[in-house]
Amino acid sequence: MPRSAGDPVRDDLADVFRRDYPLVVGVAARVLGSRDLAEDVAQEVFLAFGRTSVPASEARGWLSVAAAHTALNVVRSGRRRVAREEAAAVHQDTVVSDVADTVVTREERRAVRSALGRLPRTQAVALVLRHSGLSYADVAAALDLSPTSVGTTVRRAESALRKELNRHASPD
């Protein structure tokens, strides 16, 4: 339940932040491919968490889903992503020996993120959470799914992602 604007910050926010920040950044970075953007998403997610009354014992699932949703929103909106990636690439390119490989890798990652943004929300989030290292039980709890359906949801998401990538692939 969201807190009102006048409510104080929850007492356990610092503890939850210290414990789960790497998880939130990791989930967001998996979607966004950028640590800087993932840290922006993490900030947004923890601000939102601070306004909830979600028990700290359930924070991990709530934060994982919020990180995936927020990161997918960033992908879908495309806000500032391209500019930041290009700015980050300038720093990375100084040690890259093959520019063509860098361009191909960057384009492949961009295509995967874009395709991920076109998947149904539950599939995209399940895929991101599972590939971020969460167990089936954690993904099930985070998405309110039965643990037995997580594998099916993830496999369907992987299949849908492949179809999206093939549909938008260049005919080279």
Side-chain angles (χ1 to χ4, degrees):
M1 169 181 286
R3 294 171 178 244
S4 69
D7 288 348
V9 174
R10 54 188 297 156
D11 294 337
D12 59 357
L13 182 59
D15 293 335
V16 172
F17 180 85
R18 277 191 290 275
R19 182 189 69 203
D20 294 327
Y21 182 79
L23 169 71
V24 172
V25 171
V27 168
R30 184 159 303 277
V31 173
L32 298 168
S34 162
R35 179 148 179 104
D36 288 340
L37 283 175
E39 289 176 350
D40 289 347
V41 165
Q43 180 179 5
E44 198 172 317
V45 167
F46 278 103
L47 285 172
F49 179 75
R51 295 187 297 266
T52 71
S53 56
V54 174
S57 61
E58 298 173 16
R60 183 178 164 89
W62 190 96
L63 291 166
S64 298
V65 171
H69 281 281
T70 305
L72 285 168
N73 287 341
V74 170
V75 167
R76 289 180 174 151
S77 71
R79 70 179 184 200
R80 301 186 314 225
R81 180 177 51 83
V82 173
R84 287 190 182 195
E85 283 180 353
E86 289 172 357
V90 167
H91 298 293
Q92 293 173 351
D93 286 346
T94 57
V95 293
V96 173
S97 60
D98 189 338
V99 174
D101 288 345
T102 302
V103 170
V104 168
T105 299
R106 190 176 305 143
E107 288 302 316
E108 289 172 347
R109 289 179 181 165
R110 188 173 293 148
V112 169
R113 285 193 295 275
S114 180
L116 189 62
R118 291 187 298 271
L119 294 183
R121 181 70 69 158
T122 299
Q123 285 185 2
V125 173
L127 188 62
V128 168
L129 295 180
R130 183 66 184 135
H131 287 276
S132 294
L134 271 68
S135 69
Y136 279 24
D138 288 341
V139 173
L143 295 176
D144 198 25
L145 298 172
S146 74
T148 57
S149 69
V150 171
T152 302
T153 302
V154 169
R155 280 190 301 279
R156 286 182 181 159
E158 290 168 341
S159 176
L161 184 63
R162 269 192 293 280
K163 287 179 184 172
E164 279 296 315
L165 288 170
N166 289 334
R167 186 165 21 143
H168 294 280
S170 66
D172 295 348

